[in-house]
Amino acid sequence: MPKHKTAEQWLKLIEQQELSGLSVTDFCTQHNLSTKSFYNRRSKLRTKKPPESSFIAAKPAASESVSLPELLQLKHGSQFGADHA
């Protein structure tokens, strides 16, 4: 790679490091990179692009009447009545 890397090249390197299982120090040593530059670029690029959330929107189930037991008894003996919600 040329001495000056593009943002796209840095993004690829950051992704490679994350997938490699190597520490940043070990990855940078193997790829002849400065750890200071790596951390600096990673920080700058992460602030530009917010991380994608792994959460998905939950949709409520169809509203159906669900009957709950009046008394719930757990294996260890504790009991909970409908009034202990």
Side-chain angles (χ1 to χ4, degrees):
M1 276 189 185
K3 180 111 173 128
H4 298 284
K5 295 168 185 52
T6 65
E8 185 177 312
Q9 289 171 323
W10 275 109
L11 284 170
K12 286 180 184 179
L13 286 167
I14 292 164
E15 183 180 0
Q16 286 175 358
Q17 184 277 323
E18 290 171 350
L19 296 173
S20 73
L22 296 171
S23 68
V24 170
T25 303
D26 290 342
F27 182 84
C28 289
T29 299
Q30 286 185 6
H31 291 83
N32 200 25
L33 300 168
S34 159
T35 54
K36 182 178 177 182
S37 295
F38 185 90
Y39 283 119
N40 189 14
R41 285 296 186 147
R42 187 175 73 175
S43 175
K44 286 181 180 179
L45 291 170
R46 282 187 176 170
T47 57
K48 288 182 181 177
K49 178 184 167 194
E52 293 181 22
S53 174
S54 58
F55 292 99
I56 59 170
K59 296 180 181 177
S63 62
E64 296 178 14
S65 176
V66 178
S67 62
L68 299 174
E70 289 186 29
L71 182 65
L72 177 64
Q73 184 167 356
L74 303 179
K75 285 186 178 181
H76 61 70
S78 295
Q79 295 181 347
F80 296 93
D83 60 340
H84 287 91

